[in-house]
Amino acid sequence: MKQSAFLKGLLHGIPIGLGYLSVSFGFGILAVKSGLSALEASLISLTNLTSAGQAAGVEVIAAGGTLLEMALVQLTINIRYALMALSLSQKLDQSFTLPHRLLAAYGITDEIFGVCAAQEKKLRPTYMYGIISISTAGWVTGTFLGAAAGELLPAAVSAALGIMLYGMFIAIVVPPARKQRSVLCVVLAAAALSIACKCLLPGLSGGFAVILCAVAASVLGALLFPREEEDA
Amino acid sequence: MSIAIYIAVMAGVTYLIRMIPFAFFRQKITSKFLRSFLYYIPYAVLSAMTIPAIFYSTGNMVTAIAGTVMALVLAYFDLPLIVVALAASVTAFVTGLFL
């Protein structure tokens, strides 16, 4: 049973791991350009497991910023994880004891959160470990390859891989949006706000724009379509 | 300043942001507004991250739109995540061959 939850997590993590592999490839290249070694870049990926925060962190390092600046940048860009962690904390299985929570908290990323939140059943630690391990493997490997080898894949292939993660997001969002008008409205509102941010506030950092749009759309959804029943 | 210290601060802050709510928030949220909000937030986050970024994800808007349409159609029919994700990539790649 435990084994199968882990295996299920691994399977669900394949698209994330593959997507991370291509995304972190770009991060690896960026990190080396900013003066870091391949080992340092990989260490950042292993310990942070986040895209926007890492890219911003490398900028701070390259610019010789202060540690306070580094902490504030990470806090601003990554504060969305607190919301996601809070949301996930509501659907943890009883087997999720404190040590498991301390360990699994490491792997709360946008994508892993998205897949976990979309699960109908309560989350088991082993399921999360499955997703997290394959995702982290992809993230760190991609970083190292990007940093060490530069352009490894033909440009046409790596370009096409760039859409993979987003394809997975679509696969997560569309089915519930098809079934529930409330979800559809929230999803469309978030997309519209996101386009508006991109057009009207191009200076806004990506991480901050996402949290702004998502919070606004979700507040709208909670006001217009409050949910009656308790989720399983 | 040593890069190791920078990395330690980065990793520490990022971990605490994830860990504190995840490990220490135990009670059930009773507010209907807050529960609704938390229910909608993942879909809103994914949507805001995807649109419009997906259109720039392949470096060519035509191949990106082809991949997006393929993903939307397959997701509408409830196909598994990996199938939708790979099909979007393959579609973008194949479209690129004809440009």
Side-chain angles (χ1 to χ4, degrees):
Chain A
M1 191 66 195
K2 276 192 169 172
Q3 177 104 34
S4 80
F6 182 77
L7 206 66
K8 191 175 164 200
L10 277 183
L11 286 175
H12 287 189
I14 290 175
I16 303 182
L18 287 175
Y20 279 7
L21 195 69
S22 62
V23 172
S24 62
F25 200 79
F27 171 74
I29 293 171
L30 173 93
V32 168
K33 269 192 204 150
S34 309
L36 297 175
S37 71
L39 198 67
E40 286 160 348
S42 308
L43 190 62
I44 291 178
S45 282
L46 180 65
T47 54
N48 283 265
L49 200 64
T50 176
S51 57
Q54 288 185 197
V58 164
E59 277 178 38
V60 173
I61 294 175
T66 63
L67 292 177
L68 180 67
E69 185 186 354
M70 175 65 94
L72 286 179
V73 163
Q74 297 305 315
L75 188 66
T76 312
I77 296 181
N78 292 336
I79 193 70
R80 67 186 186 283
Y81 294 136
L83 273 181
M84 298 180 190
L86 194 63
S87 171
L88 284 186
S89 77
Q90 298 291 297
K91 59 177 300 171
L92 298 181
D93 187 79
Q94 280 183 340
S95 57
F96 238 119
T97 53
L98 185 64
H100 283 306
R101 287 176 187 236
L102 292 179
L103 201 57
Y106 154 80
I108 299 172
T109 67
D110 301 306
E111 297 75 20
I112 292 172
F113 166 72
V115 172
C116 287
Q119 295 307 302
E120 287 181 3
K121 282 196 260 172
K122 294 260 185 192
L123 294 170
R124 304 166 63 95
T126 43
Y127 173 76
M128 281 193 74
Y129 295 151
I131 301 192
I132 292 168
S133 49
I134 195 162
S135 305
T136 306
W139 187 245
V140 176
T141 308
T143 304
F144 184 80
L145 291 178
E151 297 288 328
L152 186 84
L153 296 169
V157 174
S158 67
L161 282 178
I163 200 174
M164 197 158 163
L165 265 183
Y166 297 113
M168 193 185 74
F169 296 162
I170 288 179
I172 292 173
V173 164
V174 167
R178 199 187 75 182
K179 286 166 202 139
Q180 301 172 57
R181 210 163 58 98
S182 57
V183 174
L184 181 64
C185 288
V186 169
V187 163
L188 291 179
L193 286 170
S194 182
I195 291 174
C197 271
K198 172 105 182 166
C199 297
L200 303 177
L201 302 164
L204 200 59
S205 86
F208 198 61
V210 164
I211 192 158
L212 209 67
C213 299
V215 166
S218 301
V219 165
L220 194 75
L223 290 174
L224 294 180
F225 311 98
R227 292 176 54 78
E228 292 300 331
E229 79 281 29
E230 179 77 37
D231 296 311
Chain B
M1 205 173 327
S2 156
I3 286 181
I5 299 177
Y6 275 121
I7 297 179
V9 170
M10 261 175 100
V13 172
T14 306
Y15 176 67
L16 289 177
I17 291 169
R18 289 165 164 154
M19 186 274 282
I20 292 170
F22 196 65
F24 298 111
F25 195 85
R26 293 298 176 109
Q27 69 265 50
K28 274 281 159 205
I29 295 172
T30 51
S31 151
K32 187 194 276 188
F33 175 81
L34 206 55
R35 272 198 295 115
S36 305
F37 175 79
L38 290 176
Y39 177 80
Y40 293 126
I41 201 86
Y43 302 116
V45 166
L46 291 179
S47 176
M49 278 204 303
T50 304
I51 312 281
I54 191 170
F55 301 123
Y56 305 95
S57 65
T58 63
N60 177 308
M61 213 170 272
V62 177
T63 65
I65 287 173
T68 306
V69 170
M70 177 59 84
L72 283 171
V73 170
L74 296 184
Y76 187 84
F77 292 106
D78 246 336
L79 273 97
L81 300 186
I82 181 76
V83 174
V84 177
L86 280 174
S89 260
V90 170
T91 305
F93 179 75
V94 171
T95 309
L97 296 180
F98 291 101
L99 291 180

